């Protein structure tokens, strides 16, 4: 059995299915191949179910607020399995939604494992052959393993294993304090698990702005999360149902006892066993090298998302896919995403959101900047809803006042960041935003205030 298409997409995650839909919109006869479920890692075992868990953790953490109203809350019936099941329902519903979108856009869906045989030829499970004018690789990534802590998904969990827990341990160590590690620390702590968050570098979220991260660090510590920075897990021993974990903390030996370990030290691109070697594409540190428009050295083959060396984020994969497809269609399109315009989002409480270089990076690059900050407590809405913990920082050009980057820690930071990003990407100046009326009371008023601050006349500080 064979089929001929204008485009064959390998992988139905955020990079793949968005690319397929855009191609179909532009009149291309399109097929998509997925070995698991539509939606990929993000939707099925990544960002969507984890955000469901985070939402439910926030609801659980609001119990003291109900008690402050005089409401008695009995936690004895709490069953984490119901939390888990709710997260799975969210993922399954959205996976079905992606399947519906593929059908709606007349995209042929193939279930199976794809192998590239030539620049225009793909086989599926060695039984079907597809011919495509163009091929787009969007096979995503998987959790990275580290020495001495191989995944067994019982005691040593990947992010996937952690999401599939239907019963919580009493204690857990999380190796790696990037976005995934911090989010799991927040979830576990909210539901009463004793949490150790271990990071080899000297800051949690080491790629983010240190000043905003310090606010989150203190907040997580205040809730009881034990944060060990400049620390490395060395080895482990099992003792009945417990794990004895040996740690080097700033040159000193330390041992902690926990029930489970989550390894969250990054991800590995899924570029092996898909036939790249047979067509002469050589990997660079596991990634597929691409040129402008995410085109490989073979003109008919493109690659987007976690398989190329760009930020491993779902929204990045989707946008890269759109650029690749529009280039295939001959439309005028920017050759690449501007990385300084990519928003980053960490979904704990308080949230962290940013775009552009953090302050430490600007100093490292010797790029001049002016720093302006504004506290959340300066916005009346934050005080009214008892979410005044946080701050907004904008780094701007000291001469032109153009926005270089923005960094937020606080309630709904991941939503608020986009007004600032729109301003930067549209080349708006602080004065343009400071003259725009913002509704009162809203958290967005912190943007109004910080823009006034850059201009030298903030009101509520």
């Amino acid at each position: 059995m064979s089929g001929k298409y204008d485009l064959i997409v390998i992988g139905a995650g955020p990079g793949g299915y968005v690319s397929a839909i855009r191609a179909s919109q532009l009149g291309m006869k399109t097929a998509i191949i997925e070995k698991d479920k539509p939606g990929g890692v993000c939707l099925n075992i990544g960002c969507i179910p984890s955000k469901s868990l985070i939402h439910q953790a926030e609801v659980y953490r609001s119990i003291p607020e109900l008690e402050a109203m005089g409401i008695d809350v009995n936690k004895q019936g709490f069953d984490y399995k119901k939390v888990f099941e709710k997260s799975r329902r969210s993922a399954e519903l959205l996976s079905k939604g992606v399947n519906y979108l593929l059908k709606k856009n007349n995209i042929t869906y193939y279930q199976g494992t794809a192998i590239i045989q030539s620049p225009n030829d793909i086989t599926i499970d060695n039984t079907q052959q597809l011919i495509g004018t163009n091929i787009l690789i969007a096979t995503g990534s998987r959790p990275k393993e580290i020495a001495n802590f191989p995944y067994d998904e019982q005691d040593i969990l990947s992010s996937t294993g952690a999401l599939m827990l239907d019963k919580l341990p009493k204690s857990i160590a999380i190796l790696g304090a990037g976005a995934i590690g911090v989010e799991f620390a927040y979830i576990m702590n909210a539901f009463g698990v004793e949490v150790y968050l271990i990071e080899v570098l000297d800051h949690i979220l080491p790629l983010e702005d240190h000043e905003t991260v310090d606010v989150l660090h203190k907040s997580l510590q205040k809730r009881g999360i034990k944060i060990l920075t400049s620390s490395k897990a060395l080895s482990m021993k099992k003792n009945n149902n417990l794990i004895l974990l040996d740690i080097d903390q700033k040159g000193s030996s330390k041992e902690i006892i926990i029930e489970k370990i989550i390894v969250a030290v990054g991800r590995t691109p899924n570029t092996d066993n898909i036939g790249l070697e047979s067509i002469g594409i050589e990997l660079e540190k596991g990634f597929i090298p691409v040129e402008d428009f995410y085109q490989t050295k073979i003109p008919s083959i493109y690659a987007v998302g976690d398989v190329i060396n760009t930020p491993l984020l779902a929204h990045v994969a989707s946008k890269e896919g759109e650029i690749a497809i529009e280039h295939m269609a001959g439309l005028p399109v920017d050759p690449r995403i501007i990385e300084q315009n990519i928003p980053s989002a960490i979904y704990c409480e308080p949230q962290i959101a940013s775009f552009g270089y953090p302050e430490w990076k600007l100093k490292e690059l010797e790029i001049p900047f002016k720093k302006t900050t504004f506290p959340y407590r300066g916005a009346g809405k934050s005080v009214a809803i008892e979410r005044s913990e946080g701050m907004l920082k904008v780094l701007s050009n000291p001469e032109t006042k153009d926005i270089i980057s923005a960094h937020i820690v606080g309630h709904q930071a991941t939503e608020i960041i986009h007004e600032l990003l729109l301003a930067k990407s549209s080349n708006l100046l602080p004065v343009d935003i400071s003259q725009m009326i913002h509704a009162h009371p809203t958290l967005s008023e912190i943007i109004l205030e910080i823009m006034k601050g850059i201009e030298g006349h903030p009101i509520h500080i």
Side-chain angles (χ1 to χ4, degrees), residues 43-117:
L43 197 154
N44 292 289
I45 48 173
C47 38
I48 292 299
S50 68
K51 300 313 165 282
S52 173
L53 295 180
I54 288 169
H55 168 69
Q56 294 179 82
E58 290 170 354
V59 172
Y60 191 81
R61 282 191 63 242
S62 70
I63 288 175
E65 296 180 33
L66 296 174
E67 292 173 335
M69 299 178 194
I71 299 171
D72 291 328
V73 179
N74 184 353
K75 301 179 187 177
Q76 295 301 312
F78 172 69
D79 183 359
Y80 183 76
K81 187 174 183 179
K82 298 184 184 301
V83 175
F84 161 74
E85 290 171 346
K86 203 168 185 178
S87 75
R88 297 317 308 160
R89 286 196 295 272
S90 298
E92 289 162 10
L93 178 63
L94 288 173
S95 181
K96 291 177 181 177
V98 171
N99 201 31
Y100 164 77
L101 290 172
L102 295 175
K103 290 179 180 178
K104 176 186 174 185
N105 286 277
N106 299 312
I107 297 161
T108 305
Y109 180 83
Y110 292 93
Q111 183 83 34
T113 300
I115 297 179
I116 302 170
Q117 304 293 342

Side-chain angles (χ1 to χ4, degrees), residues 370-374 391-396 449-451 453-454:
K370 175 186 176 182
K371 178 173 78 171
T372 308
T373 63
F374 189 82
M391 64 174 287
L392 167 59
K393 175 196 286 191
V394 172
L395 306 176
S396 58
E449 289 283 357
I450 203 164
M451 294 296 106
I454 294 172

Side-chain angles (χ1 to χ4, degrees), residues 146-284:
I146 55 175
N148 300 328
F149 300 96
Y151 299 125
D152 60 17
E153 304 299 14
Q154 296 296 319
D155 298 314
I156 303 175
L157 308 172
S158 66
S159 56
T160 302
L163 284 172
M164 301 307 288
L165 285 174
D166 61 6
K167 182 179 180 181
L168 291 176
K170 292 181 179 178
S171 56
I172 199 161
I174 300 173
L175 310 186
I180 294 172
V182 166
E183 289 180 1
F184 274 117
Y186 174 76
I187 293 167
M188 296 291 170
N189 171 261
F191 287 118
V193 178
E194 181 183 15
V195 176
Y196 291 86
L197 183 59
I198 301 166
E199 171 57 49
V200 69
L201 298 177
D202 56 1
H203 285 82
I204 64 171
L205 300 172
L207 299 181
E208 294 290 333
D209 182 81
H210 294 166
E211 188 174 6
T212 49
V213 166
D214 284 345
V215 175
L216 175 62
H217 185 122
K218 292 173 184 176
S219 177
L220 296 178
Q221 280 189 320
K222 187 176 179 181
R223 291 181 191 144
I225 295 175
K226 300 172 180 67
I227 300 175
L228 308 178
T229 53
S230 302
S231 302
K232 182 178 181 180
L234 301 176
S235 62
M236 55 166 279
K237 293 178 290 187
K238 294 183 182 179
N239 184 3
N240 295 323
N241 294 323
L242 298 176
I243 297 171
L244 280 63
L245 182 62
D246 291 323
I247 299 168
D248 182 316
Q249 185 180 26
K250 299 178 181 178
S252 299
S253 179
K254 182 181 179 71
E255 184 179 77
I256 61 174
I257 301 173
I258 67 275
E259 289 188 6
K260 293 185 185 296
I261 295 172
I262 297 175
V263 178
V265 293
R267 300 186 66 82
T268 298
N270 292 326
T271 51
D272 44 342
N273 303 318
I274 60 174
L276 294 175
E277 61 284 345
S278 68
I279 55 173
I281 293 180
E282 296 180 1
L283 302 176
E284 296 177 356

Side-chain angles (χ1 to χ4, degrees), residues 68 122 137 159 164 225 240 320 352 366 405 421 444 447 454 458:
I122 287 177
I137 303 168
S159 56
M164 301 307 288
I225 295 175
N240 295 323
E320 289 170 345
I352 294 258
E366 298 182 347
S405 63
L421 182 53
S444 293
I447 295 176
I454 294 172

